Amino acid sequence: MAERPSLAEAVGAGRRAARVSAAAAAGFYPAAYLLDQPVTAVYALFTPIAFGVLSPVPGPGRRRAATVLRAWPAAAVLTVAGTALAVDTWSAVAGMLVVGFVLTFGAVCGPRLAGTVPGLELFYILACFPPFAPDTLPERLTGVALGGAALVLCEVAVFPDPPDPPYRARIADTLGLADRAARSLVRGGPPEPGTAGRLRAAGRGLRFSQQPAGSRPTGAGRTDRALAQAGSATRRLVDQLAALTEMRPVRGDQASQELLRGVAAACAETADALRRARPGTGPERIEEMIAQFRASRDGPPGARVPRSHRVLLWQSTVLTVAVSAVTVRTAVDLAYGGRRPVYGLPREQFWYARTSTVRLFLVRLDGNLTRRSVVFQNAMRSACGLALARLVAGSLDLSHGFWVLLTVLTLGRTTAVAAWSAVRAAVVGTLAGALVAGLLLIGAGGATGVYACLLVPMMLIAFAVGPLEGPAWAQGLFTLVVSTAFAQIAPVTWRLAEMRVVDVLTGSAVGLLCGVLAWPFGARAETRRSMAALLRAAAPVVRATTAAATGGGPVDGGGPVEGDGSAGGRDRAVRLTLHRLRMAEGSYAQYRTEPSARAHPHRHPDGPQRGRGRGRPDEDGPGRAREPDYLATLNFASRVMVGAYWLPRTDGSPDLPPAALRWAREAAEEAEAAVLRAADFPPGGIPFRPKPPPAPTPDTPPHVLSLLADVEVWLGALASDLRTGTGHPDSPGAMTVGAGKDTS
């Protein structure tokens, strides 16, 4: 059963409807009645609908107004292109194929572009239909300008929405909580009740799924990439702090106390920099403290400082917290400091720091230019569907044929099941709307004043109710809107409603056909495939990183390029894993928007999901096992990357005793094998738990003990994510030592 819209959603829809209706009326009525230019009136009417309803631009009013202003040149170009290519059906079809693919695929570069894509496509759709009338181009462009200008003014002046908190402010608030938690750990004593829960809840609150669309830093530019990395590292930071608060505190550990003070100071300073949207003083101070910690926790050179295994794990976990603090601080400086050099830090972790903006966008586009990318699949599905609809409408010479393409544009879904559901509802709504519109046209006849009085109320109702109540209401009410609008431009009869039904039915058939033939199962299969590819790419990174950290050198088995312990082999494996991680994140992002994922979610730390289906919660249907926890799989890959960046020591790997070196090799091989098995998502999950390192001998150097504890904490966190991701029944709900969530 569909969920009812909340009061906030209803109020927001009402405000948006008022702005769009006011803008459409401000352009339509003067053009139709004062200027007597029906072509201008049509474009002035549809421009606010395009940018305000068909593709509601995210963000507060001023940002939406700026986005519309930036999109206006593109709308004008598409209007010109559609007008020129309307010379015959095949040229219009070819143009629709190119425009549909380029706009939809280019949307991967940022949320603002993605928000305007359907609206921009509408400008080409309107212009590419007969009659071929290039002499009307000035009127068309005038209508686009009138409608755009009216919408810009209304976005700022008519019931503006309150601005959403920016993502940087949410990170800053979370860092403030981390600052207080770290200071509490420094003071000692029992932690405040509920501290761990608040930290983890704050981390979950930074996930993109919890942010308004206009606040998510998902663009390809440096600022968005850096803010996304800062949010990811902040989530890891607070979850690691939560793990520390749940451990029994270690008394008298001055090295850890000093580093935690540095973490608290870094969190406070970074939060202040985020609130001011200015770069901070840089991560150099906390980096120095990490270096001092690594030296002081082992004692003076040549000394034998006895430390229990509990102390070693505490210190290694404190170190992971500090590493996350460095990542946050550096990412924030890159977000607001431009192309700054990154000294002393892993170059691969901040690879975008010195890369030009154009190159960053090209990297994003190139990474998705594969048939395995859901972005590519959606672009192809959309482009082919719109081109086919244009071919059918042109071949059948349908009146108001652009309604066919508009139907495909509004009812397009990423799965065949969702497409059928939307089409079924839209057809019912259109038939009901056409019946009412036909009665209205018969009753009012040629009384233009009646339609003029009804248009604005119709738009208010349609644009407020339609987005909230689904395709049936949206199509039915929009049928009334276009009927009352076109009745003011030219003489019409009840057959206009009949044409609307025929066009919507034609568009629905085309959209459903594309939904069935082009990737009909949406992102579900692709998500599983991309997660498996991600795990297979990350497996050799685990082994190579362990070898590089412990000085084990190349480990027998595995590929000679991606799996060896050399710097070059490890770098290649890291780059491949990064690419696979981006692809998997894209697939997962779409998968979570699809009805099958919402109705039958896997279990994950966020708890039960809304919209659960009728079947058993652990199954997707009779006899079908529940979906793996893909979020934990993404967490696993992120943690693999963190270890690859930070575990290998810059001062060279120590000479480990044979027993310790053997443990490191065996643990890495077992982890790699477990990850490869996990890539098949076997029923029952993967029960992988790394065995602890061998007991130290009296002459084991302290720095060796510290290194082994660092590796143990890392492998333990990977094992926890792996068990959770594959659905092993022994997977804990809470994190193990050092574990943290790090994904959007």
Side-chain angles (χ1 to χ4, degrees):
M1 181 177 178
E3 294 178 8
R4 304 303 302 170
S6 66
L7 178 61
E9 291 171 333
V11 171
R15 286 174 169 168
R16 181 174 60 248
R19 291 192 296 269
V20 175
S21 301
F28 177 81
Y29 287 120
Y33 292 99
L34 296 181
L35 302 179
D36 194 22
Q37 293 184 352
V39 174
T40 301
V42 169
Y43 280 81
L45 174 72
F46 275 96
T47 297
I49 294 175
F51 287 131
V53 178
L54 189 58
S55 55
V57 178
R62 291 185 180 276
R63 181 180 296 178
R64 289 197 301 268
T67 302
V68 172
L69 281 175
R70 281 193 290 266
W72 186 89
V77 169
L78 290 170
T79 302
V80 172
T83 302
L85 294 176
V87 62
D88 73 21
T89 297
W90 285 106
S91 62
V93 169
M96 188 73 262
L97 187 66
V98 173
V99 168
F101 180 82
V102 170
L103 287 178
T104 308
F105 186 74
V108 73
C109 290
R112 293 189 187 180
L113 177 58
T116 60
V117 164
L120 289 174
E121 289 174 333
L122 180 60
F123 289 100
Y124 178 85
I125 290 171
L126 280 172
C128 76
F129 274 92
F132 173 60
D135 54 300
T136 64
L137 183 59
E139 297 176 34
R140 296 179 176 186
L141 294 178
T142 301
V144 173
L146 281 176
L151 182 61
V152 167
L153 293 175
C154 289
E155 289 287 6
V156 176
V158 178
F159 302 120
D161 291 329
D164 295 316
Y167 191 63
R168 59 182 175 84
R170 295 178 182 268
I171 299 176
D173 292 341
T174 305
L175 288 175
L177 180 62
D179 170 29
R180 295 190 294 274
R183 295 186 188 279
S184 175
L185 288 170
V186 170
R187 289 193 299 268
E192 244 182 86
T195 297
R198 287 193 296 273
L199 287 167
R200 291 196 176 100
R204 289 194 296 271
L206 287 177
R207 290 176 177 155
F208 288 174
S209 61
Q210 305 297 316
Q211 311 304 317
S215 299
R216 300 170 188 167
T218 56
R222 184 180 303 102
T223 298
D224 274 12
R225 288 181 187 270
L227 282 177
Q229 188 174 21
S232 173
T234 301
R235 292 196 303 272
R236 189 167 61 249
L237 170 66
V238 293
D239 283 346
Q240 290 159 342
L241 276 173
L244 270 181
T245 63
E246 293 172 336
M247 297 173 67
R248 194 169 61 177
V250 174
R251 307 297 181 188
D253 184 3
Q254 293 301 319
S256 296
Q257 297 289 86
E258 287 299 320
L259 187 55
L260 283 172
R261 287 191 185 94
V263 167
C267 289
E269 293 169 5
T270 308
D272 183 62
L274 282 165
R275 292 188 179 100
R276 293 183 292 113
R278 297 177 59 184
T281 56
E284 289 78 11
R285 175 57 184 155
I286 186 67
E287 284 184 85
E288 293 173 1
M289 297 186 73
I290 288 176
Q292 294 169 3
F293 172 78
R294 280 178 161 165
S296 60
R297 69 171 171 169
D298 299 330
R304 292 290 185 266
V305 182
R307 287 175 293 170
S308 66
H309 189 242
R310 183 172 68 87
V311 173
L312 290 169
L313 293 181
W314 172 273
Q315 291 178 335
S316 292
T317 307
V318 170
L319 181 59
T320 64
V321 173
V323 165
S324 297
V326 171
T327 303
V328 176
R329 191 67 186 270
T330 305
V332 170
D333 286 348
L334 290 174
Y336 298 107
R339 296 171 64 179
R340 299 179 59 178
V342 179
Y343 299 112
L345 297 176
R347 177 179 55 84
E348 300 88 351
Q349 190 177 17
F350 305 98
W351 62 272
Y352 56 86
R354 303 298 297 275
T355 306
S356 68
T357 301
V358 173
R359 175 63 179 162
L360 290 174
F361 278 83
L362 291 177
V363 167
R364 174 69 63 85
L365 292 173
D366 181 66
N368 284 277
L369 199 58
T370 166
R371 69 184 184 89
R372 292 302 185 194
S373 166
V374 293
V375 175
F376 178 82
Q377 293 174 7
N378 288 340
M380 287 297 297
R381 182 192 293 112
S382 176
C384 292
L386 290 171
L388 178 60
R390 179 62 184 87
L391 177 62
V392 170
S395 301
L396 299 180
D397 195 23
L398 297 177
S399 300
H400 300 287
F402 72 91
W403 285 343
V404 178
L405 276 76
L406 187 59
T407 301
V408 175
L409 197 62
T410 55
L411 298 183
R413 299 295 187 270
T414 58
T415 67
V417 173
W420 167 244
S421 177
V423 164
R424 184 176 54 192
V427 169
V428 172
T430 302
L431 290 173
L435 177 62
V436 176
L439 294 175
L440 173 64
L441 294 173
I442 292 173
T448 306
V450 174
Y451 305 121
C453 294
L454 288 176
L455 179 59
V456 172
M458 288 289 187
M459 288 193 294
L460 280 171
I461 297 172
F463 301 152
V465 176
L468 295 176
E469 297 297 338
W473 285 90
Q475 292 293 329
L477 292 170
F478 190 67
T479 299
L480 293 173
V481 170
V482 295
S483 298
T484 53
F486 280 92
Q488 300 175 63
I489 294 175
V492 295
T493 66
W494 64 269
R495 299 189 67 88
L496 177 67
E498 178 189 36
M499 297 173 195
R500 168 77 178 160
V501 172
V502 172
D503 289 340
V504 169
L505 289 175
T506 304
S508 298
V510 172
L512 187 59
L513 179 65
C514 291
V516 171
L517 297 181
W519 293 282
F521 301 109
R524 179 171 184 163
E526 196 58 58
T527 298
R528 191 180 184 93
R529 187 181 297 112
S530 63
M531 294 294 172
L534 174 61
L535 289 172
R536 293 189 181 100
V541 178
V542 176
R543 184 164 53 95
T545 298
T546 305
T550 60
V555 184
D556 294 336
V561 175
E562 294 181 2
D564 60 32
S566 66
R570 190 171 64 256
D571 287 348
R572 286 189 291 274
V574 165
R575 286 195 295 271
L576 177 61
T577 305
L578 266 178
H579 173 68
R580 299 293 188 197
L581 179 59
R582 294 180 191 128
M583 298 294 290
E585 286 173 341
S587 299
Y588 179 74
Q590 176 175 310
Y591 173 72
R592 292 305 300 165
T593 68
E594 294 176 350
S596 60
R598 295 197 301 268
H600 308 288
H602 46 250
R603 292 177 177 173
H604 58 76
D606 281 346
Q609 296 295 301
R610 300 164 66 188
R612 190 179 296 277
R614 293 183 179 178
R616 292 171 55 192
D618 289 351
E619 294 183 315
D620 290 328
R624 299 183 65 178
R626 70 177 184 180
E627 286 291 288
D629 190 341
Y630 294 132
L631 185 62
T633 303
L634 294 175
N635 293 338
F636 169 85
S638 296
R639 200 173 325 282
V640 168
M641 303 307 296
V642 172
Y645 297 141
W646 288 95
L647 269 181
R649 298 170 64 100
T650 57
D651 56 355
S653 301
D655 293 329
L656 267 65
L661 187 58
R662 184 166 52 253
W663 168 81
R665 289 187 174 186
E666 292 175 354
E669 290 171 351
E670 290 176 2
E672 182 183 30
V675 177
L676 292 174
R677 291 198 307 273
D680 295 325
F681 295 104
I686 298 295
F688 170 60
R689 288 183 182 275
K691 59 185 179 182
T697 61
D699 59 345
T700 302
H703 66 278
V704 170
L705 296 177
S706 298
L707 174 61
L708 293 178
D710 293 344
V711 174
E712 181 186 3
V713 166
W714 181 58
L715 292 177
L718 294 181
S720 176
D721 280 339
L722 203 61
R723 292 194 302 273
T724 303
T726 57
H728 187 263
D730 194 28
S731 59
M735 297 173 302
T736 58
V737 173
K741 304 302 176 190
D742 186 20
T743 184
S744 299

